[in-house]
Amino acid sequence: MENRFQASGLQIHNVNKWYPGDVHAVIDMNMEIEQGEFIVFVGPSGCGKTTLLRMIAGLEGISSGEVIMDGRIVNRVPPKKRDIAMVFQNYALYPNMKVKDNIAFPLKMRHTGKQETAVRVAEVAEKLELNTMLDRKPGALSGGQRQRVALARSMVREPKLFLMDEPLANLDAKLRVEMRREIITLQRELGVTTIYVTHDQIEAMTMGTRIAVMNGGVLQQFGTPQEIYQHPANLFVAGFIGSPNMNLWNTEFVSDDGRCFLTLGDARIPIGKSSFPVDQLQEPLKAGIRPEHIELVEPDTCGAIQMTISILENTGREIAIFLAASGKPDLAIVTDADFSGQPGQAVYVRLKQEKIHIFNAETGKALR
Amino acid sequence: MKKWFIGIILFLVSVFIWVPLWMLLSGTLMGAGELSWNLAPVLESGDGYATWPIIANYPTLQAYVELLLDTPQFFTVFWNSCKQVFPIILGHIVLGAPAAWAFARFEFRGKKVLYTLYIVLMLMPFQVTMVSSYLVLNKLGFIDNIWAIILPGAASTLPVFIMTSFFLTIPNAVTEAAAVDGASSFQTFLRLGLPLGAPGILSVAVLGFLEYWNAMEAPQAFLKDQTLWPLSLYMANITADNAGVSLIASLITLMPPLLIFLFGQKYLEQGIISSGMKD
C-alpha cells in the first residue's frame, strides 16, 4: 500500500476540562505535536489522558483552551469533520456488520465508490492478515482478531490523525507484544501523526517518539523516552517510569571539610560538588537512583554500604534484589541472572554517584 | 418417583388450563341444535348445569360454513382489526424508535422531565384519560373514525419506554466510533441503532399487537358505527342463539396472537422483562 496519508500537526493550548461537580479533569494542558510523531499519553488511571484524547477526537467538549489541527481551531468541529481515526479500548466494532463492512464503514460514510472501497478494504485486510475472516461477524472473532479489525477500520480511510485509547489493554501479554510491534511498524510506514493512550509504561517507552507523562490532570513531563527515563522532571515521573521503581529517599546535603556528601539514612555518599546546584540544596531534599545504577561490590570497596537481602525476584534475564538495613532506606537493585545470593544474606553495594537524581522534596521538582 | 409425581401434577394443571380451549375447539364442531341443548340450562334460565361432551356427539362443519361462507360481516370485522392494529404498530416503530433513540443517546434540556412524563402516561389506565381523549378526538372530528383508535395508539409511550431500555444497552463506544468514522446522528441511528435495537423493536411489535388486537375500551368509547368495530367488540356482541359461529370466530381471533406468540415469544419475554411490567 503506497503512503497516501497526509500527516498533520497538532497543538494543544491551555486546554482545561471541568466536569459537573467541579471536577477538574485536565488542567492547563499545553503540547506541540509535530507531523508524523508517535505520541504516547501515559499515567495512572484517572490522570486525564483518555479525557484529553477524547477532547482531541471531539467526543468530549473542551471547557477552555484550544485544540488546533493544521493551524485550524477545531474546538467546535464535530468528530466526523476532524478527519481522524480512533481505536477504542474495547474495539467498538459494529456487531451487526461483517468484518468487511466494519472496515468499509468509514469509506461508506464518505461516499467512496464501491470499487474503490472494495480495493482499499482488500488492501488493508491483506496488511493486517484479515483476508480469511472478512465475512465473519465480530462476535465470531478472538480478542486479537477484533483488535486487528479495529485497526483496519481506522487505517482504511486517510485520516490526518490516529487516536488510540489503550487498544492493547484487553489482550494477553504475548499478543500485546506482537501487536505493539505491528502498530509501530504500521505507524512508521504510514507516517500518520498518532496519539496513543496507555497506563503501561513499557508500552509508552517502547512505542512513543515522545511521551507525555500525566498525573492528576497535569502534564508532568513531555519528552523522548530517553529524556523521561534519564532526566525525570519531578518525583512523580521518576517514580512512575521504570521497573523496579527508582529508589527514592529523604536526604540531606552535607559539606564536611570541603567534601560533599548526600545522606542515605545513617550512611553518607560522597558526591562531586561541581555537578550540583549547591545553592538550592538547603531545602528538604529527596534523592533517587535507578536500580541498575547500584552495583554489588566487595566489602573493602571504597563507599561500600552493607545491606541485607530481603526479597529476590528472578525474571530469568535478570534478578531484582530488594535490600534492607537498619537506619537506611530500602533499596532495589537489578543484577545478572547468575547472582546466587539468598534472602537474609549480607551484601555490599555502591551507588554510582553521577547517576543520583536530586529533587526538592516539597515541590517534587528535579534539581539535578 | 418424585419426577413422576411432579409430572402428574403438572399434567393435571395443564389439563385444567387447556379445558376451555378444548371446549372451544369441540364446540365449533357441534351443530346448532346440540349446542343449544347443551347450553340451555345456563342460557334459558333453566335449572342445573350446562353439559359439554369431550367430543361433539354429532360433529358437523355447519358452523364453519355459516361463518366463513355466509357471514361476510365477519371478514369486514377481521379486516377492521387489521386496519387498526397494523398502523398502530407501524406508528410505534416510526414514531417511537426515534424518540427512544433520542432518550437513550442524546443529552438535552428537559430530558428527565419529559421521560418522567412518558412513564406517568404509560402507567395511566385508559379509563383515566378516556374523557379527555374523547373531547380532543371529538374536536378533531375523529370520533367514529378509525383514526380515533390509530392515532392515540401509535403515540403510545410504552413502546418508547421499552425501546429506550434496549437502545441503552448499545455501548457508547460503538456510536462514538461511528461518529469518528464520519456517520451523522441519523446515519448512526439507521445503521447501528435500528439493527442493534432490533430485539427491542420486535418486542414492541409483539407486545403492541397483543395489546391492540384484544383492546376493547378504546373502540367501544370512540367508535359508535358498528361497521368500524374490530373483532374484540364484535365477539362480545354475538348473541347466544349464534353460539356456534361465536366459537369459531373466537378460534380465528385467537390465531394471529397465537402465531405471533409462537414466533415472537423470545422478544415478548424480553419486552416484558425490560419494561418491568405486564398488563
Side-chain angles (χ1 to χ4, degrees), chain B residues 92-140:
Chain B
H92 285 172
I93 295 165
V94 173
L95 301 175
W101 184 251
F103 275 128
R105 282 289 173 237
F106 298 122
E107 290 306 322
F108 51 90
R109 201 172 294 210
K111 173 176 163 178
K112 227 172 178 175
V113 176
L114 204 59
Y115 197 60
T116 312
L117 197 69
Y118 263 62
I119 293 174
V120 170
L121 279 173
M122 183 181 84
L123 295 175
M124 236 175 244
F126 174 78
Q127 291 81 348
V128 175
T129 54
M130 185 172 69
V131 173
S132 45
S133 296
Y134 187 92
L135 294 175
V136 171
L137 290 167
N138 193 33
K139 190 81 186 168
L140 293 173

Side-chain angles (χ1 to χ4, degrees), chain A residues 4-8 82-86 110 153-163 190 192-193:
Chain A
R4 43 163 200 264
F5 291 83
Q6 257 186 309
S8 155
R82 292 196 183 193
D83 204 4
I84 50 173
M86 184 157 170
R110 301 196 148 203
R153 187 177 64 184
S154 69
M155 284 172 39
V156 74
R157 200 146 51 93
E158 303 171 3
K160 285 190 180 154
L161 189 60
F162 272 143
L163 303 176
L190 304 172
V192 181
T193 315

Side-chain angles (χ1 to χ4, degrees), chain A residues 203-225:
Chain A
E203 269 178 27
M205 293 295 288
T206 51
M207 299 179 87
T209 51
R210 280 197 292 165
I211 300 174
V213 184
M214 295 169 66
N215 187 37
V218 178
L219 181 63
Q220 305 289 326
Q221 190 171 359
F222 189 34
T224 64

Side-chain angles (χ1 to χ4, degrees), chain B residues 166-188:
Chain B
F166 274 87
F167 285 146
L168 279 172
T169 61
I170 301 173
N172 275 330
V174 170
T175 46
E176 284 176 350
V180 172
D181 283 343
S184 66
S185 302
F186 185 67
Q187 282 170 320
T188 308

Side-chain angles (χ1 to χ4, degrees), chain A residues 54 80 92 94 96 109 153 157, chain B residues 176-181 191 195:
Chain A
R54 290 170 58 84
K80 63 179 262 189
Y94 309 129
N96 53 317
M109 291 300 105
R153 187 177 64 184
R157 200 146 51 93
Chain B
E176 284 176 350
V180 172
D181 283 343
R191 289 176 177 270

Side-chain angles (χ1 to χ4, degrees), chain B residues 55-56 65 116 149-150 154 160 179 235 245 252:
Chain B
I55 295 170
V65 173
T116 312
I149 310 300
I150 295 171
V160 177
M235 298 290 307
V245 171
I252 293 175

Side-chain angles (χ1 to χ4, degrees), chain B residues 19-279:
Chain B
V19 159
L21 284 172
W22 180 255
M23 286 168 70
L24 182 67
L25 209 61
S26 66
T28 59
L29 296 172
M30 292 177 193
E34 187 182 352
L35 260 179
S36 57
W37 172 259
N38 289 340
L39 294 173
V42 284
L43 289 182
E44 288 156 26
S45 62
D47 290 331
Y49 300 97
T51 52
W52 204 273
I54 293 176
I55 295 170
N57 289 325
Y58 310 100
T60 165
L61 291 174
Q62 186 196 337
Y64 282 87
V65 173
E66 194 181 333
L67 180 80
L68 297 179
L69 299 181
D70 299 342
T71 323
Q73 196 196 352
F74 177 77
F75 294 99
T76 313
V77 175
F78 192 92
W79 178 233
N80 281 348
S81 273
C82 295
K83 269 198 303 195
Q84 291 168 21
V85 172
F86 290 108
I88 288 176
I89 293 172
L90 192 71
H92 285 172
I93 295 165
V94 173
L95 301 175
W101 184 251
F103 275 128
R105 282 289 173 237
F106 298 122
E107 290 306 322
F108 51 90
R109 201 172 294 210
K111 173 176 163 178
K112 227 172 178 175
V113 176
L114 204 59
Y115 197 60
T116 312
L117 197 69
Y118 263 62
I119 293 174
V120 170
L121 279 173
M122 183 181 84
L123 295 175
M124 236 175 244
F126 174 78
Q127 291 81 348
V128 175
T129 54
M130 185 172 69
V131 173
S132 45
S133 296
Y134 187 92
L135 294 175
V136 171
L137 290 167
N138 193 33
K139 190 81 186 168
L140 293 173
F142 284 149
I143 295 296
D144 250 357
N145 187 320
I146 56 167
W147 289 106
I149 310 300
I150 295 171
L151 286 181
S156 160
T157 55
L158 177 68
V160 177
F161 181 74
I162 294 174
M163 286 188 282
T164 301
S165 59
F166 274 87
F167 285 146
L168 279 172
T169 61
I170 301 173
N172 275 330
V174 170
T175 46
E176 284 176 350
V180 172
D181 283 343
S184 66
S185 302
F186 185 67
Q187 282 170 320
T188 308
F189 169 65
L190 221 57
R191 289 176 177 270
L192 292 167
L194 288 183
L196 294 176
I201 294 167
L202 286 172
S203 297
V204 161
V206 171
L207 278 175
F209 181 85
L210 294 182
E211 186 183 342
Y212 289 96
W213 189 259
N214 299 322
M216 292 183 75
E217 295 100 334
Q220 188 126 49
F222 305 142
L223 299 177
K224 290 174 211 153
D225 183 354
Q226 294 204 1
T227 60
L228 298 174
W229 279 9
L231 275 170
S232 51
L233 281 191
Y234 172 76
M235 298 290 307
N237 284 274
I238 295 179
T239 51
D241 54 325
N242 227 349
V245 171
S246 126
L247 291 174
I248 298 167
S250 303
L251 199 67
I252 293 175
T253 308
L254 188 65
M255 283 302 144
L258 204 64
L259 290 175
I260 293 262
F261 177 76
L262 283 178
F263 293 109
Q265 187 180 5
K266 193 174 102 193
Y267 301 109
L268 184 69
E269 284 166 4
Q270 286 177 357
I272 291 170
I273 291 165
S274 76
S275 71
M277 55 181 289
K278 180 182 177 299
D279 50 11

Side-chain angles (χ1 to χ4, degrees), chain A residues 17 24-27 29 41 43-55 197 214-218:
Chain A
K17 178 70 188 179
H24 202 169
V26 172
I27 304 167
M29 197 60 70
F41 293 174
S45 50
C47 72
K49 56 191 189 295
T50 295
T51 307
L52 183 61
L53 188 82
R54 290 170 58 84
M55 286 197 280
V197 164
M214 295 169 66
N215 187 37
V218 178

